[in-house]
Amino acid sequence: MQYISTRGGMQPQPFSETLLEGLAPDGGLAVPEQLPQVDAETLERWRALTYPQLATEVLALFATDIPREDLAGMTAAAYADFPDEVVPLRSVGGGITLVGLSEGPTLAFKDMAMQFLGQVLEYVLERKDRVLNIVGATSGDTGSAAEHALRGKERVSVFMLSPQGRMSAFQRAQMYSLDDANVHNIAVAGVFDDCQNLVKQLSGDIEFKRAQHLGAVNSINLGRIAAQVVYYFWAWLRVTDGVEPEYREGFEVSFTVPSGNFGNILSGFFAKGMGVPIRRLVLAANENNVLDEFFRTGVYRPRSAADTHATSSPSMDISKASNLERFIFDLVGRDATGVVDAWKALDTDGFFDFSAQQPRFEGEFGIVSGTSTHADRLATIRSVHEESGEIIDPHTADGVKVAREFIEQDVPMLVLETAKPQKFAETITEAIGVELPLSPELREMMDAPQHVTEMADDEQVLRAFVAEHALH
Ligand SMILES: *Cc1c(COP(=O)(O)O)cnc(C)c1O
């Protein structure tokens, strides 16, 4: 299996080559030359597998340049600290089942992919005898998932910029309590956009980037997309465990995905293309609904930072959706010229317009969408709690709210649980008046000494810091 760029300007590359770079050299994103196919018989064979075993099978289709036994070692290690089932499913009534993706160390779904990425990065770097210094900006979940996945690794270090005083106490503790020598927390005097600009300045300087072996693990990373495909297979298999064997083949389910950068739902789109019987992929947005607008109208208009709202489902607060380009590539018939033209229009006009194609979004690709607001989130957390006794986090609540608009008779609706409520305790209290107790481990994390370097919003200061602490 080889990977090409959505903009047509990259020699086909194997999986491991796509992991270390962010964008393709032509500014596009790496996509499989063609999606691997899984037939009904193979799906049935996979029914007996544990989650790490299933992950090995699915990832082996993407990572054909890595021996299967090595992949098996990596998936076993990646999910070793999760509960036995790794991804538990539970019904919350009203035809809705939650797919639990937040059982990892940072209580959010990004652990699912990042834990695997940590394993495979170390493996690839060892074989190439290289090191990698990850520089990233975070407003919460991504940074902590990356740090927890990469802590203690020998060939990778992490420099994670976060906006000083803008993260919750929980988020700060989750990152700053790590005291591994290869983890560098940097609190910038500024907002998230300032952090992101600093990262862009550093990685945009090709010479500095080479000399300091800089890399990224952001949401366009193909290793993350591939690892996320696995749980769509898993969820389908677990739902159809409860279906009479003769009706399992082609038994359709729908998924609702709380979305920001279009990474998670893109993995579902890949799973559908590979043969998982998925009827609909429902995209749930919060007030920053640039993607809902696109899927309803065909017009994609990224927002400015000033038009991007800070909401109570903060991990979905995006101004543009980095992974959308991979969907556009399929929409235009896998034709790089079509992608380049769309992005040219975006540059000149501030939007691109596929309204003539909009009926295909649902008809051909099965993607529909909706928006949820703060009031919706609170009402949904409340109603799910009343009906099932379950407490769901605000992002998952956005999912349940939009999922309810697309429930169909006889089609199970699976909502991806993208975070645990403990992570967003203030909103839970606002919704149902309950103070969520912290487990002893979380209590300990909150009380642990914190390790963070405070820094001015100054590129030169950051350069000097990275050059001094980077692995070489
Ligand atoms: C990152 C994140 C999302 C959005 O996922 P995308 O892949 O960016 O669409 C949703 N919920 C939570 C809790 C997240 O951390």
Side-chain angles (χ1 to χ4, degrees):
M1 167 72 67
Q2 298 279 306
Y3 295 85
I4 54 175
S5 165
T6 49
R7 300 193 191 174
M10 179 175 87
Q11 283 299 318
Q13 286 188 345
F15 183 77
S16 27
E17 292 294 327
T18 69
L19 298 179
L20 304 185
E21 299 289 330
L23 294 173
D26 60 358
L29 306 185
V31 285
E33 257 182 338
Q34 74 264 356
L35 272 183
Q37 296 298 307
V38 178
D39 58 25
E41 208 179 303
T42 308
L43 269 178
E44 272 321 299
R45 253 194 307 114
W46 287 356
R47 190 173 292 285
L49 303 182
T50 63
Y51 191 90
Q53 289 169 339
L54 179 68
T56 304
E57 295 303 318
V58 174
L59 287 163
L61 300 172
F62 288 96
T64 50
D65 56 333
I66 300 178
R68 176 181 295 257
E69 345 38 293
D70 295 351
L71 271 178
M74 290 183 240
T75 58
Y79 301 111
D81 293 339
F82 286 63
D84 282 348
E85 345 160 58
V86 181
V87 174
L89 271 63
R90 62 191 205 276
S91 165
V92 290
I96 290 179
T97 298
L98 298 184
V99 180
L101 303 179
S102 312
E103 309 296 321
T106 74
L107 312 185
F109 94 96
K110 290 189 175 69
D111 290 328
M112 295 301 302
M114 212 64 97
Q115 286 291 322
F116 171 71
L117 191 62
Q119 298 293 328
V120 72
L121 275 183
E122 182 86 333
Y123 173 87
V124 169
L125 290 168
E126 208 151 278
R127 290 212 302 188
K128 291 178 184 290
D129 193 21
R130 282 180 54 181
V131 295
L132 195 67
N133 297 297
I134 302 293
V135 181
T138 189
S139 51
D141 293 347
T142 310
S144 57
E147 290 185 356
H148 282 261
L150 298 171
R151 61 187 294 201
K153 297 264 182 278
E154 279 176 18
R155 289 174 175 271
V156 195
S157 74
V158 191
F159 295 84
M160 195 53 68
L161 279 57
S162 51
Q164 217 167 293
R166 303 250 171 182
M167 292 199 303
S168 70
F170 190 93
Q171 288 175 316
R172 282 200 304 274
Q174 219 170 35
M175 291 177 57
Y176 303 166
S177 64
L178 297 182
D179 65 352
D180 304 78
N182 71 329
V183 171
H184 308 281
N185 285 304
I186 302 172
V188 174
V191 296
F192 174 68
D193 280 313
D194 299 321
C195 298
Q196 207 162 27
N197 284 335
L198 285 170
V199 173
K200 278 189 193 148
Q201 283 160 355
L202 256 60
S203 53
D205 177 344
I206 302 297
E207 229 164 86
F208 187 78
K209 188 176 171 197
R210 287 236 172 87
Q212 304 300 333
H213 313 285
L214 300 191
V217 291
N218 46 23
S219 75
I220 57 171
N221 189 293
L222 196 85
R224 285 178 63 183
I225 302 292
Q228 290 165 186
V229 169
V230 177
Y231 47 73
Y232 289 90
F233 279 85
W234 174 264
W236 182 83
L237 288 166
R238 296 296 72 86
V239 168
T240 51
D241 281 343
V243 172
E244 296 287 339
E246 63 265 40
Y247 297 119
R248 284 176 184 165
E249 187 174 338
F251 184 92
E252 287 188 324
V253 303
S254 289
F255 284 92
T256 298
V257 189
S259 291
N261 272 318
F262 203 72
N264 201 353
I265 195 167
L266 178 77
S267 298
F269 183 61
F270 279 11
K272 180 169 160 62
M274 291 167 73
V276 179
I278 295 175
R279 182 171 157 73
R280 273 173 169 169
L281 289 162
V282 182
L283 182 147
N286 68 13
E287 289 89 336
N288 299 295
N289 57 356
V290 50
L291 280 172
D292 179 33
E293 191 174 283
F294 173 67
F295 282 98
R296 277 186 296 102
T297 66
V299 176
Y300 177 62
R301 191 188 296 273
R303 312 269 163 88
S304 67
D307 283 332
T308 306
H309 314 285
T311 75
S312 49
S313 46
S315 304
M316 293 156 62
D317 290 348
I318 49 118
S319 50
K320 59 180 171 46
S322 345
N323 274 295
L324 187 64
E325 180 161 339
R326 288 181 166 123
F327 172 74
I328 301 296
F329 184 64
D330 277 2
L331 181 67
V332 297
R334 300 181 73 84
D335 165 25
T337 332
V339 173
V340 172
D341 287 348
W343 257 259
K344 254 188 218 149
L346 194 62
D347 267 349
T348 4
D349 308 330
F351 67 96
F352 59 66
D353 184 350
F354 282 104
S355 50
Q357 308 291 330
Q358 196 275 342
R360 292 174 62 212
F361 295 176
E362 178 171 6
E364 189 177 329
F365 303 112
I367 304 182
V368 293
S369 74
T371 289
S372 163
T373 64
H374 180 70
D376 292 329
R377 225 165 278 141
L378 296 182
T380 307
I381 292 169
R382 210 174 293 134
S383 73
V384 166
H385 186 236
E386 274 163 15
E387 286 161 28
S388 67
E390 295 280 347
I391 299 178
I392 58 173
D393 102 289
H395 307 78
T396 310
D398 288 333
V400 170
K401 187 268 177 181
V402 176
R404 283 173 172 165
E405 297 163 10
F406 291 99
I407 299 275
E408 294 172 287
Q409 191 87 47
D410 302 327
V411 184
M413 176 58 86
L414 306 180
V415 176
L416 302 189
E417 183 184 41
T418 56
K420 287 279 191 206
Q422 282 79 3
K423 247 187 138 156
F424 303 96
E426 311 80 58
T427 306
I428 304 304
T429 307
E430 187 180 349
I432 54 176
V434 168
E435 299 268 354
L436 285 178
L438 290 178
S439 66
E441 299 85 60
L442 291 179
R443 191 67 268 153
E444 199 179 311
M445 177 192 85
M446 297 295 282
D447 295 339
Q450 301 202 344
H451 309 271
V452 58
T453 302
E454 300 199 343
M455 196 177 282
D457 176 12
D458 182 331
E459 185 190 344
Q460 296 312 325
V461 177
L462 178 63
R463 273 174 188 263
F465 185 88
V466 170
E468 186 188 337
H469 294 94
L471 301 172
H472 289 102

